[in-house]
Amino acid sequence: GSNPDKGVMQASNGKLYGVCRFGGANGKGTLYEYDLTTSTFTKRHDFDGTATGQQPRGRLYQVGNVLVGVTQEGGTANVGTIFDFNINTNVLARRVTLVSATQGANPASGLAPNNVNAQLYGVCTAGGANGFGTIYSYNPTTFGYTKRFDMTGAVGGAAPFAELAPFGNLMYGVASAGG
């Protein structure tokens, strides 16, 4: 892969995991593993566009034995996916494919945990009711996706681009336009 995105995370098995936005067998990005004990780098998945998405973005987040992440493009509508990768079986599965008009489009950062519930939260830079992006939650147990907020542009901002940050029972973020 090429163009690593947002660094690596250390999983419960002690290995480091990350994503590259481009490259790999299909030119659509990869998920990789680095074993600190043996100094071994292993490509674990080649993203393919429709089935698993393309251009993975952001840091992966671990829930149990799976790492959850997003792709900025790909899926059936070509506007992004949410996937998980099982660190025990090395199998990647697409869990959500986004549809711009209803859910938002083009997530450009990883998911963040909420301090109140078991949901992960993320942002889409486009789509939603106003076309300015969305804030959403994802349940990694049920694979449920819920749009939480439609960005409004001038007042509420547009094109959120960075990972959300939890503080108490709120999630904070920034928008790259509007406001």
Side-chain angles (χ1 to χ4, degrees):
S2 63
N3 298 85
D5 199 63
K6 308 288 190 276
V8 296
M9 58 83 62
Q10 187 169 22
S12 59
N13 62 5
K15 297 176 182 177
L16 301 178
Y17 291 87
V19 295
C20 290
R21 290 182 58 201
F22 304 106
N26 304 308
K28 298 180 186 293
T30 62
L31 184 144
Y32 61 87
E33 167 191 282
Y34 184 77
D35 189 322
L36 294 166
T37 305
T38 63
S39 298
T40 304
F41 176 89
T42 306
K43 179 177 64 172
R44 288 293 180 196
H45 182 76
D46 289 298
F47 288 90
D48 64 2
T50 304
T52 59
Q54 67 189 51
Q55 290 190 30
R57 298 297 304 264
R59 194 177 309 265
L60 301 168
Y61 185 79
Q62 185 167 5
V63 178
N65 63 346
V66 299
L67 308 178
V68 182
V70 302
T71 67
Q72 188 171 14
E73 295 181 2
T76 55
N78 199 34
V79 293
T81 68
I82 299 174
F83 65 86
D84 65 34
F85 176 78
N86 188 307
I87 61 173
N88 294 334
T89 63
N90 296 319
V91 174
L92 187 137
R94 181 186 75 197
R95 298 301 184 190
V96 174
T97 186
L98 300 176
V99 180
S100 179
T102 59
Q103 297 172 315
N106 310 115
S109 64
L111 297 163
N114 181 299
N115 292 331
V116 177
N117 58 37
Q119 306 277 326
L120 301 176
Y121 285 76
V123 297
C124 289
T125 60
N130 304 308
F132 297 121
T134 62
I135 298 172
Y136 64 88
S137 66
Y138 172 71
N139 184 319
T141 304
T142 65
F143 315 124
Y145 177 99
T146 304
K147 180 176 63 172
R148 298 291 181 178
F149 183 75
D150 288 297
M151 302 304 286
T152 58
V155 176
F161 205 79
E163 187 175 292
L164 297 171
F167 183 76
N169 64 348
L170 299 174
M171 300 295 287
Y172 288 86
V174 297
S176 62

